[in-house]
Amino acid sequence: MQSQLEYIVDRIASQNLLHAKKLRKNLSNQNESFFIRADDFLKRYIKFLENDHKTLDYSINCYLQMLADVNYEAVQFLKTGEYSSKSFKEVNQRVYNNPKVMEYYMHGLLLSQFLWTHHYEILLYFNKIINSHKSLINNYLEVGGGHGLYISEAINIIRDNAQFDLVDISKSSLDISGKLILNNKVAFIHSDIFEYSPKIKYDFISMGEVLEHVENPVKLLMKLHSLLKDTGKLFITTPTNAPAIDHIYLFQNAADIRKVITESEFQIEQELCIFSEDLPPEIAEKNKISMMFAALLSK
Ligand SMILES: C[S@@+](CC[C@H](N)C(=O)[O-])C[C@H]1O[C@@H](n2cnc3c(N)ncnc32)[C@H](O)[C@@H]1O
């Protein structure tokens, strides 16, 4: 019987053969445990879609729409060397406050977590870090959870009586993640992170792919510094050279990211860099191939 993943890639092939070829190559390099995890995720996800009166085909169309945006932004980036969006105000209006865009963007991004090798590797890395810190986590904050997959993984790993807070500026993101997580332990907080002032400080903060969404990443990291306990840990991910409709701040390489981390008075405990194309790192960097940077930081 055809697996759900094969079905997804076949449907993508009917619209974009070249991209499907790349996805097939990604999948051919994966091991058995990937397919078990992907299958488990897709079962949960399809149930979530059904509860929301949607189908997997709906989600595949969302992915294709997100891909069309990425391709358009990539052409602009190649021409100008810059991201097309320049201000938070512009992106807030164009994306976060636009339910139609957020809907296809978040479903597309969710599928990419298993279709794109570099996204999947970062998810595994996050799981590994949460597993090794779970006994220290009494309260967990996620910033910009988007689709909600990361916090849902954290909930599965961290013990039951921990507190989980999720802050997102987009109401649409909170709606989507609220349905995916189906967990009444999470406090869903609709706020710009810069305006969030809780009474507590956190043991662990996770912020995946938000640093590139702000005008001043040092200011954002300083804000997280103020929300973290002195013994707390911060997990971040952010890409380099990754044009997208909501990316504002361009990191050109890992050194650019490490610089803002140091300026925000964080230390890097460990990090992982993965390019989106399977190329030697020097060639990938020279050709401005997008790279995902993930790191565990402490004060
Ligand atoms: C690209 S998604 C990231 C999804 C997920 N964390 C991941 O790593 O795949 C970015 C999310 O950050 C949220 N976001 C952007 N700026 C924010 C801000 N200033 N405060 C809170 N959330 C923000 C957006 O609404 C969106 O849900």
Side-chain angles (χ1 to χ4, degrees), residues 16 18-19 22 63-78 116 243-245:
N16 187 335
L18 201 64
H19 184 69
K22 185 181 168 195
Y63 176 84
L64 287 164
Q65 231 167 325
M66 179 193 77
L67 194 68
D69 283 351
V70 168
N71 289 341
Y72 178 81
E73 294 294 328
V75 172
Q76 304 308 311
F77 181 63
L78 277 177
W116 299 359
I245 50 174

Side-chain angles (χ1 to χ4, degrees), residues 22 74 77-78 83 118 238-243 250-254 257 273-293:
K22 185 181 168 195
F77 181 63
L78 277 177
Y83 290 163
H118 64 303
T238 192
T240 65
N241 302 313
L250 173 61
F251 292 111
Q252 307 209 42
N253 49 43
I257 303 170
C273 298
I274 308 182
F275 284 97
S276 60
E277 304 285 339
D278 190 12
L279 290 169
E282 322 75 64
I283 294 181
E285 188 165 327
K286 199 168 152 220
N287 287 287
K288 295 197 173 189
I289 300 297
S290 170
M291 182 199 76
M292 279 300 295
F293 175 96

Side-chain angles (χ1 to χ4, degrees), residues 88 91-92 95-97 102 105-106 109-110 112-113 119 122 142-151 166-174 189-195 206-214 220 235 237 244 246-247 292:
F88 166 75
V91 170
N92 198 23
V95 186
Y96 312 141
N97 250 326
M102 280 310 277
Y105 188 18
M106 290 303 115
L109 202 57
L110 197 47
S112 81
Q113 306 301 314
H119 274 184
I122 297 288
E142 184 146 322
V143 180
H147 40 73
L149 182 64
Y150 276 75
I151 193 166
L166 174 55
V167 171
D168 203 298
I169 200 166
S170 166
K171 176 81 174 55
S172 310
S173 264
L174 292 174
I189 301 150
H190 184 204
S191 170
D192 183 336
I193 187 61
F194 288 108
E195 282 156 22
S206 171
M207 187 180 73
E209 295 198 45
V210 183
L211 206 55
E212 70 282 10
H213 290 237
V214 296
L220 175 54
F235 175 82
T237 73
D246 50 356
H247 291 182
M292 279 300 295

